[in-house]
Amino acid sequence: MTTETTDTTAPPGAPDPRPDGPPDTPRRLYADPGPADRVFRGVARTGGGLVLAVMLLVGGFLLHRAWQALDRAGGSFLTTENWEPDAGRFGIAAVLTGTVLIALVAIVVAVPLATGAALYISEYAPPRLRRTLISTVDLMAAVPSVVYGLWGVFWLEESILPIARWISAYLGWIPFLRVEGADPDDPLAPPTVYTSSTFVAGLVVAMMVAPIICSIMREVFSQAPAGEREGAYALGATRWGMIRSVVLPFGKGGMIGGTMLGLGRALGETIAVYMVISQVFTIQWHVLQTGTSSVSSLIALRYGEATAFGMSALMAAGFALFVMTLIVNFAASSIVARSRSGASSDA
Amino acid sequence: MTIAPERPTARPAAEQAPPAGPERRRATGGARATDVYAVLGAAAAALALTWLLFARLLPFSGTVGFVLVAYALFLGLYALLVSFDEDGPAVRDRVAGVVVRTLGLVLLAVLVFVVAFTLWEGRRALVHLNFFTEDMSLAGPLEPLDTGGVLHAVVGTLEQVGIALVLTVPAGVVCAVFLNEVPGAFARLVRTIVEAMTALPSIVAGLFVYATVILALGMERSGLAAALALSVMMLPIIIRASDVVIRLVPGTLREASYAMGASRWRTVWHVVLPTARSGLTTAVILGTARGVGETSPVLLTAGFTAELNALPTSGAQVSLPLATFELVKSPEPNMIARGFGTAAVLMLLVLLLFVLARIAGGRGPGQLTRRQERRRTAASRADAARFAPAPARTAPPAPPRSTP
């Protein structure tokens, strides 16, 4: 097949007929893959290139359109709380804070629950029940966010009021748990100061991301080497002692990675948050107080009425959110990849 | 240290106790009676003590506080009870076991409740057959539930997700094959970018399509635009999932194929892809389940209509999650019931996809179903008959195990 060889008359393995010719040089090894393979490589490369082009187009277009607004707003884009792009006063200080707070509430609630559930499924549950539980959790991770949103609006918002009231009454001395305008001693006080808060939105998102975190953690926990488990038992460890000394250290990378992937999902969540919160454009540190904001619900709220420049400003907000989730996701995947358990666990 | 010398004196007395006879195998797992008594006793004591605190001693009130205080007291009392006849590590083990079980059951219970709540609230709409066969064009907000349905949303969802799949599955699988079979610097770059794009919030994908296809190109809001937005969102998900699956194909299979002189594309076509088929199916179905439930990209790009619109290229077209979202905005209880019914239909669709994924993905690479095995056996018999020397053709067919 190959036509590169110069000497075609001599059979392979025969001594060189021209001993006084030019000295032997190492030949370049090259196997001609043939036309079919070249086409295959071309198609695969084109496919990869096409996907790359689409992805770069999305990112590049976002950055390009966002640049218009970023250029005009400058540094004040990060410090302004208002959102009036046509008046020139707009920034993501309030919405980004709201997004981060909602995601933090979600993570603080979801991680203990998910860790407990993952440990329960992989270590405590009876083996007959285990497969069912795994399927349930995986299915829950695929439940659409609008369903969680419905649950949040029509059930959680009312049912959570006593809890919010209780926390603000007894823990209100902690600054970020205080609710202004609430009087815990008055049983007839209107509950509206507690509705549509960061806390409620965070709880809804927590229920959404908990199955995702849980299924990653369970995957990692179940890979803890059996030899080390048995070693711990042989040394007289109790079940919890074995978990603390074998399973949790082994799964640490997966736990952190799963948490951060959940955080990434929580940051980008739109519909469930949009249904629950009432958007305000001030930084709301009090997580129990009504009114909060998030980048994605800002976009959902304002895209329809936006002028060309308003669109550019929304793109800038979306781009900021994208950059944030990007950093979180890359941090997560690098942590997972470096951990002992990470090589085979892919979220 | 001081206890150790005393043990040997105590032990013979204990060992003499069981009568001689055949040893019986003891069950080491399971709960002992004392464990059960400790749990029950601690629970009873915690409830009683909390009641005493709330009703008689302290100015506390409220169900939530009651549950929290009772649970804290239960943990403390349980630890106390166990510590009467166990040592420190065992007490910690018991308490940790209780906490882990509680957390796990709470999470699972809440998740099941979320789903059950939606089905329960939607029961009023779901019992009417017209809910599945009509659209909402004739049903105003005050109309009773026996008029109007979500057929338009079902059609919209199927078409939008169908178009998105037609766009993303070939691109995604080709890209995943590229990442694994043509390695190099370029493949690494593509993999990094794809990984980055999985972080793209879905609303930003919608915003991108809204700004390009609708504002810049002047297309109207339609099912096609929604499908494009869904594609932008689903493509990285499908690529990553397929990439993982193809990476799991054993290297020895590939090497065997190359060693027999197969070219690259033949190896991919006849070895890699068939081996990874069930995993690829699962990846695609799970990506579809993600796409079916996404509301935000569709919210920006599909528009909203109450009528059945089977043409994705023109006019607004609504999908199941979007219909849910819009229906529950109404204050009318009938519309809210319809919204919950739509959400229930959506969840049933996701459940169906999930079950399909379980069926397709139940086996690892290389494991065959009964039918596939029969087909392979038949093919190999035919090959054996073909390879057999000419006079043997008239002879009965070759023995079944001649070629693997």
Side-chain angles (χ1 to χ4, degrees), chain B residues 1-356:
Chain B
M1 278 298 150
T2 52
I3 304 172
E6 290 171 19
R7 280 226 168 123
T9 59
R11 214 171 254 176
E15 276 175 5
Q16 280 161 9
E23 259 191 299
R24 228 187 299 156
R25 194 191 175 111
R26 280 179 301 172
T28 50
R32 289 170 299 174
T34 42
D35 299 343
V36 179
Y37 296 152
V39 170
L40 290 181
L47 282 180
L49 204 56
T50 320
W51 175 81
L52 195 65
L53 284 178
F54 271 62
R56 293 283 178 270
L57 295 180
L58 294 173
F60 288 172
S61 67
T63 331
V64 183
F66 189 90
V67 172
L68 288 180
V69 171
Y71 185 67
L73 281 174
F74 169 74
L75 283 184
L77 288 168
Y78 182 65
L80 183 71
L81 280 183
V82 174
S83 72
F84 285 151
D85 41 22
E86 302 275 8
D87 55 351
V91 173
R92 280 197 290 279
D93 174 51
R94 298 293 164 76
V95 174
V98 168
V99 171
V100 165
R101 285 189 175 96
T102 319
L103 287 175
L105 291 182
V106 164
L107 180 64
L108 290 168
V110 171
L111 293 178
V112 170
F113 175 68
V114 170
V115 173
F117 176 75
T118 312
L119 293 176
W120 178 249
E121 292 283 318
R123 73 194 184 282
R124 282 176 47 224
L126 288 172
V127 294
H128 296 284
L129 193 62
N130 58 292
F131 190 68
F132 304 97
T133 57
E134 293 179 14
D135 62 11
M136 290 292 290
S137 53
L138 296 176
L142 294 172
E143 212 70 33
L145 285 170
D146 50 11
T147 354
V150 290
L151 182 67
H152 58 312
V154 175
V155 169
T157 289
L158 292 182
E159 285 189 359
Q160 289 168 14
V161 173
I163 296 175
L165 281 180
V166 166
L167 293 176
T168 51
V169 168
V173 173
V174 167
C175 184
V177 167
F178 164 71
L179 292 181
N180 282 286
E181 303 296 325
V182 194
F186 185 51
R188 272 201 299 279
L189 173 72
V190 173
R191 184 174 276 143
T192 313
I193 297 288
V194 166
E195 241 169 63
M197 288 313 274
T198 48
L200 186 75
S202 55
I203 185 102
V204 180
L207 193 66
F208 166 74
V209 171
Y210 180 73
T212 49
V213 175
I214 294 174
L215 291 187
L217 298 182
M219 226 168 93
E220 60 182 331
R221 290 187 187 192
S222 62
L224 185 63
L228 288 177
L230 286 178
S231 308
V232 171
M233 199 209 81
M234 279 163 62
L235 189 58
I237 298 176
I238 290 190
I239 293 177
R240 268 198 79 183
S242 318
D243 182 29
V244 172
V245 172
I246 293 184
R247 219 185 299 163
L248 285 180
V249 172
T252 45
L253 282 184
R254 273 193 200 111
E255 284 157 18
S257 168
Y258 287 135
M260 288 166 81
S263 63
R264 241 164 221 272
W265 80 269
R266 277 192 174 277
T267 305
V268 167
W269 190 250
H270 291 289
V271 175
V272 175
L273 287 181
T275 309
R277 183 161 63 188
S278 82
L280 283 176
T281 319
T282 316
V284 167
I285 293 176
L286 291 184
T288 315
R290 256 308 272 293
V292 163
E294 275 296 341
T295 320
S296 34
V298 183
L299 173 71
L300 269 61
T301 48
F304 183 72
T305 174
E307 288 175 26
L308 177 65
N309 175 15
L311 199 64
T313 46
S314 77
Q317 191 185 44
V318 80
S319 68
L320 282 170
L322 185 58
T324 307
F325 177 71
E326 298 285 346
L327 284 171
V328 298
K329 274 184 181 170
S330 158
E332 291 299 324
N334 276 355
M335 288 304 251
I336 293 178
R338 283 190 184 110
F340 274 100
T342 318
V345 173
L346 176 61
M347 251 176 349
L348 292 181
L349 193 62
V350 172
L351 182 68
L352 182 74
L353 287 171
F354 201 78
V355 170
L356 282 181

Side-chain angles (χ1 to χ4, degrees), chain A residues 15 40-41 55 62-63 77-78 124 151 174 176 178 182 187 212 229 239 262 264 274 287 296 314 318 335:
Chain A
F40 163 71
R41 273 181 200 224
M55 300 290 163
L62 273 179
L63 183 61
F77 185 68
L78 290 176
Y124 287 88
W151 175 75
I174 305 173
F176 69 93
R178 205 173 62 226
I212 301 169
R229 286 165 188 260
R239 175 144 54 175
Y274 180 60
V287 294
S296 41
L314 286 179
I335 289 174

Side-chain angles (χ1 to χ4, degrees), chain A residues 32 60 64 96-97 106 116-117 128 137 187-188 202 207 213 219 238 261 291 301 303-305 311 314 319 326 329 338:
Chain A
D32 180 23
H64 169 73
L96 212 57
T97 316
R128 271 172 297 133
V137 170
L188 296 177
M207 286 309 132
I213 302 176
E219 190 73 44
T238 56
L261 281 176
L301 195 65
Y303 80 98
E305 65 209 31
M311 275 309 282
L314 286 179
F319 191 75
L326 193 65
N329 272 23
R338 265 180 218 176

Side-chain angles (χ1 to χ4, degrees), chain A residues 210-233:
Chain A
I212 301 169
I213 302 176
C214 176
S215 80
I216 295 172
M217 284 190 188
R218 179 195 55 74
E219 190 73 44
V220 177
F221 289 158
S222 65
Q223 284 168 359
E228 286 174 35
R229 286 165 188 260
E230 284 157 14
Y233 282 134

